Each structure stands twice: as C-alpha cells, then as structure tokens.
Amino acid sequence: MSVSIAIVGAGPAGFYAAAALIKSDADCRVDMIEALPTPFGLVRAGVAPDHQSTKGVIRAFAKTAADPRVAFFGNVRLGQDVSLAELRKLYDTVILAVGAPVDRSLGIPGGDLRGVYGAAAFVGWYNGHPRFGDLAPDLETPSVCVIGNGNVALDVARVLVKTPEEMSASDLADHAARTIHGAPIRDVYVIGRRGPVEAKFTNKELSELGDLGGCVPLVDPAQLTAEVPADLSDRDRRQREKNLATLREFAGRRPDEKPKRLHFVFYARPAAVLGEERVTALRLERTRVEGGRAVGTGETIDVPCGAVIAAIGYRMEEIEGVPMEPGAGVVRNDEGRVDNGLYVVGWARRGPTGVIGTNKADGDLVAARIAKENAAGGKPGRAGLEASLRARGVRWVSFAAWRRIDAAEVAAAPPGAPRRKLIRIKDMLDILENGAATVTKM
Ligand code: NAP
C-alpha cells in the first residue's frame, strides 16, 4: 500500500523533499500544501526580481510537480484551512517545509517608528507577495539605511538604486516599481555591525554593485585594514579575500561618478532609530571586533535617513503542537525527524542560511529517513484531504490551475519582462473563475 505524505510548504525545501521522495524507491503519494495559490516560495517571493537566472530552478520544481504521484494544494493555509493534527491523522507522514517567513526584531529604541521595515516584509512587498501587498513603505526620502551585511541587505540596496531600465527585464511588482522609481533616494547606507572581513556577502553579489548604471559604491579605505583570519576554511578565506579586494576597488571610486551612492559602513551597530512620528536618522554605535564579536566603543554617529530596512535575518512562525529548539527559532529535530511520522526540512529545520540548493541535502536526508522508518501506509491521504477541504468550502488551487495563473502573468508582462505579478489572492482566483483577472488597483 502506498505511503501518503503531506509536505507543508511549496518552497525550495518542500520541492527538494518531494523530488527526493519520488526518486527513492518508496511507493508514495506526495501532496504539497501551500498557503498561497502560487508555488515556489522564496524563489518567487524572495529571490531578487532582477536575478531571474536564479529562478531557473523553477523548471526542475515544475517537473516534480508534474509527476503523477505528486499533487499541489495551493491556497490551503495550515492552522486555518487544515490543522497539523488533522494532517497527521490523514497522512502517514507529514513534512514541515514552512521556512522562516518573518523578520527578526531590531530590538532597539524607535524600532517601531513609521519608516522602519524588516527585509522579509520589504522584499515580500517588492516581489509581490500577497501578505505584504499593503506594506506601502514610505520612501519619500533622499537617504535610506539598510542594516545587515548579508546577501539580503545587498538585494534590498541594489533594488533601491537600480535604474528603471536596469529593472526592465525583472519581475519587480508594479506597485514597488512606481514607489521606488518615483522616490528621491540618492544615498543608501549598508551597515555592518562587524567589519568587511566578517561580512556574509557572497562575492558575486558584492561585485555586481560595482557595475550599476546610476549608482556608485563607496567605502572608507580606513575601514579595510583588517586581515582575513588564518583559521578559516580555504573556501571561506578565498571568499573573504575576494570581498576585500572588491571593497578596495570601491574605496577608489569617486562619489560624483553616478547620480546615486551606495555607502558601505562597517563597525557600526544600530543603537536607536531617531524621529518623532517617522524616522529622521539612525543612531549607530561604533564597534571594534574582538574575538570575532562586535564590541561597542561608546562613540555614536547619526546617519540622517527617512527609511530604515533591517535585513538582519528571518525566523519561523511557531506552529501549534510543534516543539521548538529553545532560543534557536527552529523546530526541535533529530536530523529532520521531529516525532513519529513528523519531519522538518529547510530553514524551519536549520535556520535561515544557505542558498536554494542547500535544501537538496535536507530533502535527501529526510527522504532516506522516511524510507527507513515509515514502511506502512494505510491512512486516507489525498482523498481524505480533498473531502475535508470540500466540507469546509476551501477552494484549493491545483498545479494545473497555477499554470493558468502563471500564463496570465506571463501574457501580461511588459516588453522584456518575464511576467507582471498578480498581488492579490482574489485576482489570482478570478483568473480561474473568469479566465481574466479584475486586477485590484494598488
Ligand atoms: P545573513 O547572511 O545571516 O546576514 C544577516 C546579517 O545581519 C549579518 O551581517 C548579521 O551580522 C546581521 N545582523 C544580525 N542581527 C543584527 C543586529 N541585531 N544588528 C545589526 N546587524 C545584525 O542573512 P540574510 O542576508 O538574511 O540571508 C539569508 C540567507 O539567504 C543567507 O544564507 C544568504 O546568503 C541567502 N541569500 C542568498 C542570496 C544570493 O545568493 N544571491 C540572496 C539573498 C539571500 P553578524 O554577522 O554580525 O551576525
């Protein structure tokens, strides 16, 4: 009897797990349950809109979805349309692939002022994620601070300073294009609490900033004197040496080369967001790095700005009945196993690090464990879920239905762009009801 498996979340972690399961010899049926009508998680709503080549992995995911053993249940929200307890009753095995969709908090005075946004929300907004469609960030300012020295901070900074022409082959959401390209932004500050050697940027993403059409990257050469520690792996050392070389090149650039400037500010940790009703400046405390940690010096500087975007990492949303690892923001698990018949993969398992492909190993690991531990089938699986959703009047979106939404987005694309994203779930469902969306004005 085939084993019924539910995967909650249809992002990279969910798709790699599904692919590993159908590749293994296990006789299984795999149902992917996703809150949005759209699949692919962060590949659609996290990967930067101007990094279309990274989104090519969707082709492999679509192949997995097309396997007759796999079904997609989009527009089905865990905890609202179906509970975890119910899924565990209906399926022999449940895999949580829910990611880390919310922002970690800055935890400094003024952190909740108007004009302060977390990167999960901000990136979701410019990528057309329905949850953040109404964010309406106020970017009516010449100067924006982006906190964090990871690739998300670079994505945000780059999207803010690229010209409309540079974004024309992207799928930047319409509302975001209007706001960003209509904004008077001239200076973007990318702020690291440690030094250039500790920054988590990958070099490809960092060096890309040296070739922007309308923006010059700048850094104070006095901040580039630290040496790359000798005790790193060869790979890490090479990466950091390349970053230092790129930053040294940026240090020789002239501020008046281009209309906009992207400033790297190292050794500065956020101390407070200043302003009455909205942000007017970010107060930073100067740091030095001791034993790899940022230590405050007591000296502060204020960077005048009208918006602050904190790209300081993501966390998962807790799920009722699922144990969390104290202080780590991930599901407590033993190599992917949470409990009998319950597993976890991706960022919910190991935290928000790594690239899309990192999830493949997670999928392989869990598929191998499931093959070993859950030989018996017998639970109702797909038929049970469909009956339960029907009884509740939940309108789920199949993969074939998603393809119709996809086709409508592609057909509506402006010249040169891959698609024009629909932002409202209602508009997506309208495509399925009426063949055309009555696109909600945003
Ligand atoms: P990340 O790489 O972990 O970077 C987070 C940054 O936030 C670090 O510089 C960290 O500094 C800083 N930070 C954390 N708490 C802070 C605080 N309270 N105050 C000031 N700074 C703080 O995370 P991410 O940028 O969110 O990216 C998540 C993952 O997605 C990463 O693995 C990333 O490489 C990947 N990603 C890849 C791409 C790409 O390949 N193009 C694009 C986007 C994301 P410390 O180091 O001092 O803790």
Side-chain angles (χ1 to χ4, degrees):
M1 182 171 286
S2 72
V3 177
S4 59
I5 302 175
I7 299 178
V8 184
F15 268 104
Y16 279 118
L21 287 163
I22 58 173
K23 228 171 52 201
S24 72
D25 289 334
D27 175 13
C28 61
R29 299 237 281 174
V30 181
D31 294 346
M32 305 188 72
I33 292 149
E34 164 61 51
L36 294 177
T38 56
F40 312 134
L42 277 188
V43 179
R44 177 175 163 99
V47 170
D50 58 335
H51 279 180
Q52 287 296 315
S53 62
T54 310
K55 298 185 189 238
V57 68
I58 279 176
R59 284 191 289 277
F61 294 165
K63 241 166 120 180
T64 298
D67 187 285
R69 289 166 290 177
V70 177
F72 175 69
F73 288 83
N75 202 33
V76 177
R77 184 170 289 279
L78 186 73
Q80 178 184 302
D81 300 319
V82 66
S83 70
L84 180 61
E86 191 179 1
L87 281 182
R88 294 185 71 184
K89 266 194 213 136
L90 289 172
Y91 286 85
D92 300 308
T93 295
V94 176
I95 302 175
L96 300 170
V98 292
V102 282
D103 281 297
R104 287 183 48 213
S105 157
L106 259 180
I108 55 172
D112 52 4
L113 275 176
R114 199 171 126 225
V116 182
Y117 310 98
F122 194 76
V123 169
W125 168 75
Y126 67 54
N127 269 328
H129 190 303
R131 180 170 177 174
F132 304 108
D134 292 322
L135 185 73
D138 186 347
L139 299 177
E140 280 302 307
T141 170
S143 163
V144 178
C145 284
V146 180
I147 302 172
N149 269 184
N151 282 329
V152 171
L154 295 190
D155 280 349
V156 167
R158 190 181 67 253
V159 168
L160 285 174
V161 298
K162 266 194 166 181
T163 62
E165 294 70 34
E166 284 175 309
M167 293 303 280
S168 63
S170 80
D171 58 1
L172 180 65
D174 281 356
H175 59 218
R178 277 195 302 275
T179 304
I180 293 171
H181 298 143
I185 299 168
R186 285 287 170 272
D187 292 277
V188 173
Y189 297 84
V190 173
I191 293 156
R193 61 182 171 182
R194 298 191 289 160
V197 161
E198 288 81 21
K200 291 178 173 155
F201 314 134
T202 44
N203 191 255
K204 184 166 169 281
E205 278 60 35
L206 182 64
S207 41
E208 187 182 349
L209 299 172
D211 298 318
L212 300 180
C215 180
V216 59
L218 298 168
V219 56
D220 177 355
Q223 294 209 312
L224 304 179
T225 55
E227 305 263 319
V228 176
D231 57 351
L232 295 175
S233 69
D234 284 354
R235 192 171 160 273
D236 277 357
R237 203 171 43 247
R238 268 199 308 276
Q239 174 77 10
R240 294 180 193 203
E241 275 163 1
K242 275 203 231 163
N243 280 355
L244 267 184
T246 304
L247 288 163
R248 288 196 182 110
E249 194 269 311
F250 293 173
R253 306 285 287 263
R254 286 196 338 267
D256 59 355
E257 262 179 47
K258 309 253 168 89
K260 296 183 184 181
R261 292 164 296 272
L262 199 163
H263 310 260
F264 286 90
V265 179
F266 296 105
Y267 304 108
R269 71 178 176 200
V273 183
L274 308 182
E276 291 292 319
E277 271 163 30
R278 57 164 296 168
V279 179
T280 54
L282 177 65
R283 176 157 297 163
L284 299 169
E285 181 185 13
R286 284 269 169 228
T287 64
R288 58 176 176 268
V289 174
E290 283 177 12
R293 292 173 59 88
V295 179
T297 63
E299 182 197 347
T300 61
I301 47 169
D302 292 349
V303 181
C305 62
V308 171
I309 299 158
I312 59 168
Y314 300 145
R315 64 178 174 82
M316 97 167 252
E317 279 175 316
E318 293 192 20
I319 300 170
E320 209 186 319
V322 175
M324 296 294 289
E325 195 61 58
V330 295
V331 174
R332 194 190 313 147
N333 72 94
D334 168 24
E335 304 228 300
R337 184 182 180 280
V338 183
D339 190 5
N340 274 343
L342 184 64
Y343 298 83
V344 62
V345 288
W347 281 5
R349 175 176 101 75
R350 58 185 162 77
T353 58
V355 292
I356 291 165
T358 314
N359 293 294
K360 185 173 181 306
D362 268 39
D364 292 345
L365 176 80
V366 160
R369 290 203 73 155
I370 290 171
K372 213 165 78 191
E373 293 166 14
N374 288 281
K379 292 194 182 174
R382 192 170 302 169
L385 178 66
E386 287 182 353
S388 160
L389 294 178
R390 245 184 238 114
R392 287 199 188 115
V394 177
R395 176 168 189 350
W396 74 86
V397 174
S398 67
F399 203 77
W402 146 249
R403 282 193 190 282
R404 287 165 55 207
I405 297 171
D406 181 37
E409 288 192 340
V410 171
R419 64 180 64 243
R420 171 172 275 135
K421 276 183 172 168
L422 291 165
I423 317 299
R424 303 274 181 207
I425 289 177
K426 178 189 163 301
D427 295 344
M428 297 177 193
L429 299 182
D430 270 1
I431 296 273
L432 305 178
E433 297 297 327
N434 313 321
T438 352
V439 176
T440 310
K441 202 90 193 120
M442 310 200 49

